[in-house]
Amino acid sequence: MTNSQSAVRISDMDKYYGTFHALKGINLDIAKGEKIVICGPSGSGKSTLIRCINRLEEHQVGSINVLGTELDDNLDNIDEIRRETGMVFQHFNLFPHMTVLENCILAPMLVRKQERHLAERDAMELLTKVKIPEQAEKYPGQLSGGQQQRVAIARALCMKPAIMLFDEPTSALDPEMISEVLDVMVGLAHEGMTMICVTHEMGFARQVADRVIFMDGGEVIEQAPPDQFFDNPQHERTQAFLGQILGH
Amino acid sequence: MAQTYSGPGVFKRIRDDYFSTRLNTVVTLGFAAFVIWVVWSLFGWGIQQAIWSPADKDHCGHGSGGACWAVIAARWRLIFFGLFPFEEQWRSGIACAAIVLTGGLSCVPWFWSARRLSALWIIGFAVFYCLMRGGFFGLTLVSEQNWGGLSLTIFIFASVTLIGMPLAIVFALLRQSRLPWIARTMGVVIDTIRSLPLLSILFTFAIVIPFVLPGWMIGDKLYRVIVGYALFFACYQAEIIRGGIQSLPAGQDEAAMALGMSYWNRISYIILPQAFRNALPATINQLVITFKETSLVVIIGFFEILASGNAAYGNAEWNFAHVEVYCFVGLIYFTFVFALSRYGAYLERRMAVVER
């Protein structure tokens, strides 16, 4: 029986790439409205983990339940889950042949069957929220990296998802553009969105996360509220990792 | 006001580029002389000493030294319309113009939606077919065997492209299928057809297929040849499209998936529009080749424009004038191919502006 307060519940989940064991025995219960930050060294499986939540990657063992829908081979379930989860990628992945506005209204019109003028109204509202309504008629290639990532966030929000997945949203940005994206994410967190973020932005984690999860070698090593996680890490691998990214 | 750098003057640039050393000067002058000689000779042959009127045709070929364009004036209807009944050739002319107009209109961005394009081409082909074949409203019946000349060339090209292009998309998607048996089978089919000469495929569809298929499936030879050619075109074009698809970053499809878009929505809104942009130069190239190779249908007894050109000088009266006829036919090919490649260049510029 799924707890009705769970947004995502992952039980004993394993993921293999061929013979490579990428995720090992993952157990995770994420409540509605909770903000999770996942960190860990590269290759630790953190991106793979959140890509499993909307089936960009397929898990082999165990179960993933998103908002009460079981993620299995049933295509209707996969569609249902993808409608309810928005995703933001490291490299933005905007559609370069469409304007910013077209990027935002495409899925609401095709998937949610929204009428164009309503979809456009919602999209403009969200573009205003990420502070770039004036770029609506431009093409992604004409925007800076930070602007593109904010468009990508608005595009995901246009589907009115219940959960937002962020896969290293600031890793491909020039340093001076990171804060404009983080500001949008902080705003979203304050509105009560359920967020699962893979990121190395520890300031962001301290500020908004309810729980920080540390992964290494395909396993969840440690999870704790940010104060405890940063000030009093229990596991030595966590300590070593924090020493590396905070120590300079 | 900002200063702009205008570079050295024209004379200095010419001197620097073409006359900088003694060797360069010799090469430049040598080539200039050669080009002037070629242009002057062509001008003399093709225009100055040419004979234009059929009335003067007795002077042709008897030491006048010029081209005998009189053959075109006398025989152009044979070149354009082939064996189409003489009295009815206006039908062939209008039909041909209708297809060219349809092709021209489908280059206009306003028509670029599946519904408008298909409506346009259905009307275009319907007009062509009704005018060419006739058999109603007092139009006499002209069977496909008597179609010919430019109308036939353009009809074959348009049909091959229109059948072949959707087929190519289907082939490319099947080749990309996640089910290995489908992808592999499609790969073998494409490689097999690509490894056969077009000529042998046309022969097979024209001559062999009637022995194999039941009677109701055979259809006229012309349509069998078109289907065979379309299949050949589709296999080449499928590989071009596949290249376009594979050059897209995986993130494009993933982003569309994450938004909950279905397979067909992802293909038609995200993947194919971008794949076609990437594949545009190769696609235009393939279309040009396809247009020119329509001339191969002559070997199974069709009278397309090159064959009707042969017929135009192929009698005792005009048998000396083959160069003039081929020049004329070449000019017609050039007109179409050049228009096509300019259109391709226009599309590339247009997309470059959009995506910058």
Side-chain angles (χ1 to χ4, degrees):
Chain A
M1 210 28 226
T2 313
N3 181 347
S4 68
Q5 290 306 305
S6 283
V8 179
R9 169 176 283 200
I10 301 174
S11 317
D12 299 322
M13 188 264 273
D14 287 75
K15 157 86 191 156
Y16 295 84
Y17 290 110
T19 56
F20 177 67
H21 202 170
L23 293 174
K24 300 168 188 164
I26 305 287
N27 280 290
L28 211 52
D29 198 339
I30 297 167
K32 284 181 185 158
E34 204 178 1
K35 288 106 188 100
I36 303 287
V37 165
I38 304 175
C39 60
S42 93
S44 59
K46 49 198 192 309
S47 284
T48 308
L49 174 59
I50 73 163
R51 287 162 59 88
C52 280
I53 294 174
N54 64 354
R55 225 352 130 81
L56 292 186
E57 305 286 352
E58 195 176 338
H59 64 279
Q60 278 78 36
V61 182
S63 76
I64 299 177
N65 187 300
V66 182
L67 298 164
T69 306
E70 196 64 31
L71 185 57
D72 48 24
D73 290 334
N74 184 337
L75 292 178
D76 290 338
N77 288 357
I78 295 175
D79 286 344
E80 171 70 21
I81 288 170
R82 284 180 179 164
R83 273 196 295 274
E84 298 304 327
T85 53
M87 189 168 212
V88 176
F89 298 85
Q90 180 177 1
H91 295 289
F92 331 134
N93 299 353
L94 294 174
F95 306 131
H97 58 302
M98 298 180 181
T99 64
V100 164
L101 189 62
E102 286 166 347
N103 264 277
C104 290
I105 64 175
L106 183 69
M109 285 174 62
L110 292 176
V111 181
R112 293 240 187 253
K113 312 289 178 205
Q114 221 179 353
E115 283 179 50
R116 177 178 279 271
H117 70 277
L118 294 177
E120 283 182 355
R121 194 197 59 197
D122 291 356
M124 286 312 295
E125 238 167 63
L126 286 162
L127 287 172
T128 309
K129 191 158 132 185
V130 300
K131 303 190 189 68
I132 36 175
E134 71 282 0
Q135 313 283 8
E137 298 304 324
K138 289 200 180 161
Y139 286 87
Q142 298 169 298
L143 305 184
S144 73
Q147 290 173 324
Q148 290 195 45
Q149 193 60 299
R150 285 185 283 151
V151 171
I153 294 173
R155 176 178 72 176
L157 291 175
C158 281
M159 284 294 287
K160 304 193 172 59
I163 302 170
M164 284 289 283
L165 308 172
F166 291 86
D167 187 3
E168 305 209 30
T170 55
S171 302
L173 295 176
D174 290 333
E176 77 274 17
M177 292 171 184
I178 290 177
S179 67
E180 66 190 57
V181 172
L182 288 180
D183 285 347
V184 170
M185 291 169 65
V186 171
L188 205 54
H190 289 326
E191 286 171 24
M193 173 68 77
T194 308
M195 293 166 67
I196 306 172
C197 315
V198 172
T199 181
H200 290 150
E201 296 297 331
M202 293 303 143
F204 171 80
R206 261 190 200 279
Q207 193 183 347
V208 306
D210 297 310
R211 196 165 17 138
V212 182
I213 293 175
F214 175 70
M215 290 183 70
D216 193 11
E219 292 172 289
V220 172
I221 303 293
E222 182 167 352
Q223 43 182 318
D227 293 343
Q228 199 181 323
F229 181 84
F230 289 112
D231 302 334
N232 190 16
Q234 299 298 308
H235 201 284
E236 64 186 52
R237 275 197 268 181
T238 317
Q239 291 161 1
F241 176 74
L242 288 175
Q244 277 164 354
I245 63 167
L246 300 175
H248 51 81
Chain B
M1 199 173 136
Q3 262 191 336
T4 56
Y5 176 68
S6 58
V10 169
F11 284 111
K12 178 165 167 29
R13 236 182 310 153
I14 288 176
R15 205 177 61 210
D16 289 352
D17 289 350
Y18 302 103
F19 298 96
S20 54
T21 66
R22 193 170 300 164
L23 179 65
N24 277 358
T25 308
V26 170
V27 171
T28 300
L29 291 178
F31 269 104
F34 178 70
V35 168
I36 289 169
W37 176 74
V38 167
V39 169
W40 182 250
S41 312
L42 283 177
F43 176 76
W45 176 79
I47 295 180
Q48 203 187 24
Q49 292 151 24
I51 287 159
W52 299 87
S53 161
D56 302 331
K57 95 170 195 29
D58 291 343
H59 300 295
C60 277
H62 300 297
S64 79
C68 184
W69 299 123
V71 64
I72 308 298
R75 308 285 277 179
W76 65 273
R77 289 180 65 151
L78 184 60
I79 297 176
F80 276 122
F81 305 122
L83 297 177
F84 211 82
F86 194 81
E87 296 304 317
E88 306 286 333
Q89 283 178 356
W90 59 272
R91 282 161 51 185
S92 182
I94 297 175
C96 182
I99 289 284
V100 172
L101 180 71
T102 308
L105 284 179
S106 42
C107 293
V108 177
W110 189 80
F111 280 100
W112 292 352
S113 77
R115 202 180 309 154
R116 283 176 189 159
L117 270 186
S118 37
L120 182 68
W121 278 98
I122 287 170
I123 295 171
F125 273 124
V127 169
F128 181 91
Y129 185 80
C130 294
L131 275 171
M132 287 298 276
R133 197 147 198 281
F136 57 92
F137 292 143
L139 297 177
T140 49
L141 185 79
V142 181
S143 78
E144 283 84 351
Q145 272 303 312
N146 290 324
W147 297 7
L150 185 61
S151 312
L152 184 64
T153 293
I154 291 191
F155 176 69
I156 292 174
F157 173 64
S159 322
V160 165
T161 313
L162 252 72
I163 300 169
M165 197 58 93
L167 207 57
I169 292 172
V170 172
F171 283 6
L173 295 179
L174 289 177
R175 184 95 159 80
Q176 297 272 75
S177 167
R178 282 173 54 187
L179 309 173
W181 280 105
I182 293 182
R184 233 171 280 162
T185 309
M186 199 66 239
V188 170
V189 170
I190 288 176
D191 287 343
T192 306
I193 293 179
R194 285 201 309 166
S195 65
L196 297 171
L198 177 56
L199 215 51
S200 67
I201 288 180
L202 296 183
F203 253 124
T204 308
F205 274 77
I207 317 286
V208 182
I209 291 277
F211 294 114
V212 183
L213 287 184
W216 57 271
M217 277 185 74
I218 291 177
D220 188 87
K221 190 162 83 174
L222 177 61
Y223 302 118
R224 291 201 306 274
V225 165
I226 286 175
V227 168
Y229 197 175
L231 198 63
F232 183 82
F233 171 81
C235 288
Y236 275 87
Q237 182 61 25
E239 289 294 278
I240 291 173
I241 296 173
R242 186 168 70 99
I245 293 176
Q246 283 179 341
S247 66
L248 296 180
Q252 289 292 308
D253 200 32
E254 287 179 357
M257 271 195 253
L259 286 165
M261 290 170 64
S262 66
Y263 174 77
W264 285 111
N265 279 339
R266 297 199 310 270
I267 291 297
S268 46
Y269 290 93
I270 307 300
I271 304 299
L272 284 182
Q274 296 189 68
F276 265 102
R277 273 155 209 252
N278 293 341
L280 184 68
T283 302
I284 295 287
N285 199 28
Q286 192 61 40
L287 290 175
V288 166
I289 292 173
T290 302
F291 182 74
K292 291 191 294 186
E293 290 194 341
T294 51
S295 56
L296 287 178
V297 300
V298 67
I299 59 125
I300 33 193
F302 283 106
F303 230 62
E304 50 68 66
I305 188 156
L306 198 59
S308 46
N310 286 341
Y313 71 80
N315 64 358
E317 196 182 359
W318 294 106
N319 59 7
F320 56 88
H322 54 277
V323 175
E324 287 84 348
V325 169
Y326 283 134
C327 282
F328 184 68
V329 172
L331 186 69
I332 295 171
Y333 272 107
F334 176 80
T335 309
F336 281 95
V337 169
F338 189 68
L340 200 57
S341 65
R342 290 326 297 162
Y343 179 61
Y346 156 76
L347 282 184
E348 278 180 54
R349 271 200 312 280
R350 190 173 188 275
M351 288 167 193
V353 169
V354 161
E355 278 171 23
R356 191 144 32 147

